[in-house]
Amino acid sequence: MKKLRLHVLAFSSVLLPLAGLSGNEANPDAIELAPLPLPVEFTSDMDNPVAFDASTKVVVDCPDAAAAGWLAAHFAEWYGKFAPKVQLATFNANFPTNAEAYAVKVDAAGVKIAARTLAGVRWAAYSIRQLVIAKRGIFKTEGHLLPTLSISDAPHLAFRCVHICWMPEMRKEQIERAIRLAALMKFNYAILEPWGMYRSEKHPWWGWPEGKMTKAEVRRLVAIGNDLGITLIPQIAAYGHAGAGRSCTLKNSVLDLQPEYEPLFEPGGWNWCLANPETQRVLRELIVEMLGDFGNPPYIHLGCDEAQPPTCPECRKRPYGELVCEHIANLAAFTKEHGARAMIWHDMLLDRDDPRWKGYVKCGSKLTATLADTLPKDVIICDWQYSYGDMKETRKDWPTMAYFKEKGFPVAGCPWRNYNAMKPMADFIAEIGGFGIIETTWHHLRGNDWVKMFRYGSSAAWGTPVRKGMPQYDSEFAIALRLVGHDMKVKDYRDTGHVDYQVPPSWWIDN
Ligand SMILES: [Zn+2]
C-alpha cells in the first residue's frame, strides 16, 4: 500500500484505526506533522512527491486581502531563492464556517490553498512547512519536495493556549523559541507569566533586579506573535504568589531584596495585602502598563492560585471571602474597562472540604468558594487539574469544569503534564461548550516534558490523537523546533534541541 491515508470525522472523537497509517511494507510512511490534521479527509503520498520550488505556483483562495502577501513574504523568508510563487485566485472554494479552517491540495499541477481568513492560511502554511523536505540526491539544498496530498482541516477548540513562565533562570531565546514553536504547532494564544522578570517603568521595584522582560523585548515578542498568529497575554499574580517565586524555594522577588515594600504584602509575603488601598493602586498601574506593552490584548491573567489565609490585622477584620471577591471583582472590572477580560486560576473557588471535588484540585475554603456565586460571570476560570498522585491517569469526566460552566463562567481546562487526560479534557470542554485549553508548562519547559507538553497539548486542543511511535525518535517535534531555530537564526549551541547541554557541564568536573 503506497498511499498513507487517515480519515477522521470532523468534531468527532472517533478515530479510525491508526494501523491505516502504515505505508509500503518495506518502508513505513511517516507524517512528521504536529498536530495531525482533524480532517474531513487527509491523504498524503510521499512515494509520489512533487516539486516545491521557484517553478511551483501556490494558488491561494482567501477573501482576506492580507493572506497572499503574508504567504509570499514567509515563503521568501523560509525558502529564499527557491521560494514558490504565490498567486491569489478564486477557485470557488467551499469555505467551511470555522474561521480557522483550511484546505490544501498538492499534486503535479501545483499547490492550492483555500481558507476564509489569514489564520487559516497560516495553519495551511505551517502544515505544508512541516511536510516539506529538501530535494534528494544532491549535496546542498536546491529546492524542495512535497508529498502529493489533500488536507481539509479545522481546529476542535477556538482558544488553544500555552502558559509560559519566564523564570529568572531562562534566557530570552528560550522564551522566543517556545512562542514560535507554539504558533507552528497551531496554538493561537500564549500567556506570559513574568516570575519577577518584567521591568516596569512605573514600579521598577516590582521584581528581581535586571529583569530580562524589558518593554522592548515584550513588544518584540508581541510583534512576532502577531505575525505568526499567536496572541500574547500578560499575567500578574494579583492575589497569592505575590512574590513571584515558587513556593518550595521561599524566594520572593520583591521582599528578599527590598524590605521597605512589606506593607503591600501579607506578613510572610505570599499574598498581596488586600486591605491596603495601595495594593489596588499598584496592581492597576501595573495592569495598565503591561496591557500597553502587550499591545492591548483581549485578555489578561490575574493568577489567584494557591492563596493562603490572611495574617495581617487589617485583612483579618472582614470575612476574607468578601475581601477577596471585592479585590478580584474590582480588578476584573478595571481590566474590562481597558479592553481585556480577566482570567483567573480556579482553585480558590472550590472548597477543599467539599466531597464533590474529591480527587480534583481545589485549594479554597467555604468563604473563598462563595466567589463562584459573586464574581462577574465574564471572568474566565482556568481550571488546572493535574491528577496529583497519578499523572498518567486517564480521566473522562471533569466535574469541576462542568460546575463552573453551570455557574455561567467561561471555563478553560489546564492539563500541564497530565498527558493521557489531555484529549479527554479537550473533548469534554468542547462538549460542554467551554472556553478552551491552556497547556500549562511551569518550570518544565525543557527536555522530554517540553516535547510531550507541546505534542499532546497541541494535539488535544486541535482535536487529534498524538501519533504514537515517531519514525526517527521525536522527529516531528525536532523538525518543528529546528525550523524555529532557523527563523531565529540561532548560533548558540544551547538554542538547539530541547536541552541546553547533552551532558550537563558539571559532569565533566564531578566524574
Ligand atoms: Zn493585609
Side-chain angles (χ1 to χ4, degrees):
M1 185 177 100
K2 277 195 170 178
K3 276 208 168 180
L4 181 152
R5 192 173 278 266
L6 171 69
H7 291 270
V8 187
L9 296 172
F11 301 100
S12 160
S13 57
V14 179
L15 178 76
L16 295 174
L18 283 172
L21 281 170
S22 60
N24 69 53
E25 277 182 29
N27 301 297
D29 280 318
I31 306 178
E32 318 241 43
L33 174 61
L36 282 171
L38 176 67
V40 176
E41 186 186 29
F42 174 34
T43 62
S44 173
D45 185 2
M46 193 41 123
D47 293 332
N48 285 297
V50 298
F52 188 71
D53 57 23
S55 71
T56 305
K57 204 186 288 175
V58 176
V59 184
V60 183
D61 189 350
C62 179
D64 190 326
W70 183 92
L71 196 62
H74 284 272
F75 279 165
E77 180 193 341
W78 301 336
Y79 305 115
K81 63 181 177 182
F82 306 114
K85 305 274 181 296
V86 175
Q87 189 187 321
L88 199 59
T90 305
F91 45 85
N92 297 318
N94 193 11
F95 294 120
T97 50
N98 189 317
E100 295 182 273
Y102 69 88
V104 176
K105 180 106 180 146
V106 179
D107 57 28
V111 178
K112 279 183 173 176
I113 296 174
R116 201 148 56 82
T117 64
L118 172 58
V121 169
R122 282 195 188 97
W123 306 145
Y126 299 164
S127 289
I128 288 171
R129 196 181 182 202
Q130 288 174 71
L131 294 168
V132 157
I133 64 167
K135 282 186 180 172
R136 307 287 90 192
I138 42 180
F139 180 51
K140 290 169 81 172
T141 299
E142 288 178 28
H144 296 84
L145 300 172
L146 261 179
T148 54
L149 61 86
S150 177
I151 302 177
S152 174
D153 196 12
H156 200 31
L157 296 173
F159 186 85
R160 307 176 304 280
C161 183
V162 279
H163 171 247
I164 296 173
C165 294
W166 197 326
M167 297 283 173
E169 290 76 9
M170 290 172 77
R171 292 172 295 112
K172 62 182 174 46
E173 289 79 7
Q174 287 169 266
I175 302 296
E176 185 179 341
R177 290 176 83 206
I179 291 169
R180 285 179 176 274
L181 184 65
L184 195 54
M185 296 174 83
K186 302 189 177 88
F187 286 105
N188 55 357
Y189 289 90
I191 297 165
L192 196 51
E193 182 173 359
W195 291 83
M197 287 290 95
Y198 177 67
R199 197 94 69 86
S200 166
E201 276 173 11
K202 186 85 180 171
H203 294 288
W205 54 271
W206 188 60
W208 299 106
E210 305 301 314
K212 291 166 229 171
M213 197 172 158
T214 61
K215 284 188 174 329
E217 184 59 12
V218 170
R219 287 171 182 165
R220 195 181 71 84
L221 292 172
V222 167
I224 289 169
N226 287 342
D227 177 45
L228 297 180
I230 186 165
T231 302
L232 267 54
I233 298 170
Q235 179 160 356
I236 294 180
Y239 174 23
H241 266 286
R246 297 181 59 211
S247 58
C248 57
T249 68
L250 305 184
K251 286 183 185 290
N252 186 302
S253 67
V254 175
L255 295 181
D256 287 350
L257 306 180
Q258 304 162 103
E260 64 270 33
Y261 294 102
E262 190 184 329
L264 295 174
F265 303 89
E266 289 302 276
W270 185 258
N271 295 8
W272 289 92
C273 179
L274 305 188
N276 185 348
E278 284 295 280
T279 298
Q280 273 279 335
R281 179 180 69 85
V282 164
L283 287 172
R284 287 173 181 226
E285 288 172 356
L286 286 170
I287 284 169
V288 169
E289 192 178 357
M290 282 185 111
L291 286 176
D293 288 349
F294 277 73
N296 299 309
Y299 309 106
I300 181 168
H301 203 304
L302 298 178
C304 300
D305 58 327
E306 299 180 313
Q308 299 299 310
T311 49
C312 96
E314 290 304 310
C315 286
R316 290 162 64 87
K317 277 183 183 163
R318 292 174 59 192
Y320 203 44
E322 271 180 35
L323 190 58
V324 170
C325 182
E326 199 175 280
H327 176 72
I328 298 175
N330 283 343
L331 284 182
F334 180 77
T335 67
K336 198 173 166 185
E337 280 167 28
H338 287 77
R341 284 170 70 188
M343 314 177 91
I344 61 169
W345 300 120
H346 83 288
D347 50 292
M348 303 311 298
L349 275 57
L350 298 179
D351 176 5
R352 71 179 79 86
D353 296 324
D354 189 326
R356 285 178 296 172
W357 319 133
K358 191 171 184 294
Y360 294 86
V361 174
K362 71 276 177 189
C363 307
S365 62
K366 277 195 170 48
L367 269 177
T368 62
T370 60
L371 265 68
D373 292 313
T374 52
L375 273 184
K377 299 298 186 203
D378 57 357
V379 172
I380 297 147
I381 308 298
C382 307
D383 190 337
W384 50 284
Q385 294 298 339
Y386 300 159
S387 289
Y388 282 121
D390 184 1
M391 295 295 270
K392 291 180 179 166
E393 191 178 350
T394 301
R395 278 183 160 151
K396 294 211 163 27
D397 290 322
W398 307 92
T400 59
M401 294 175 201
Y403 168 75
F404 290 120
K405 175 70 185 169
E406 280 161 21
K407 288 277 182 190
F409 291 103
V411 59
C414 313
W416 191 24
R417 292 187 298 157
N418 198 352
Y419 305 119
N420 292 339
M422 285 184 188
K423 178 89 173 48
M425 186 187 285
D427 291 345
F428 185 81
I429 287 286
E431 198 181 303
I432 64 169
F435 188 70
I437 281 284
I438 300 171
E439 173 51 40
T440 45
T441 61
W442 303 113
H443 52 299
H444 283 254
L445 201 65
R446 306 298 284 160
N448 281 328
D449 282 342
W450 185 14
V451 178
K452 293 178 92 169
M453 289 184 300
F454 270 43
R455 283 187 66 219
Y456 282 77
S458 66
S459 298
W462 197 264
T464 46
V466 166
R467 175 107 193 269
K468 303 282 185 192
M470 290 299 102
Q472 299 183 0
Y473 300 104
D474 282 311
S475 41
E476 77 178 18
F477 187 88
I479 287 169
L481 190 59
R482 200 170 293 137
L483 293 171
V484 163
H486 296 164
D487 291 347
M488 289 172 61
K489 301 186 169 44
V490 298
K491 299 288 177 223
D492 189 324
Y493 174 69
R494 295 172 298 172
D495 295 326
T496 66
H498 59 57
V499 286
D500 283 11
Y501 299 103
Q502 298 184 64
V503 181
S506 62
W507 286 19
W508 300 112
I509 301 163
D510 299 340
N511 303 306

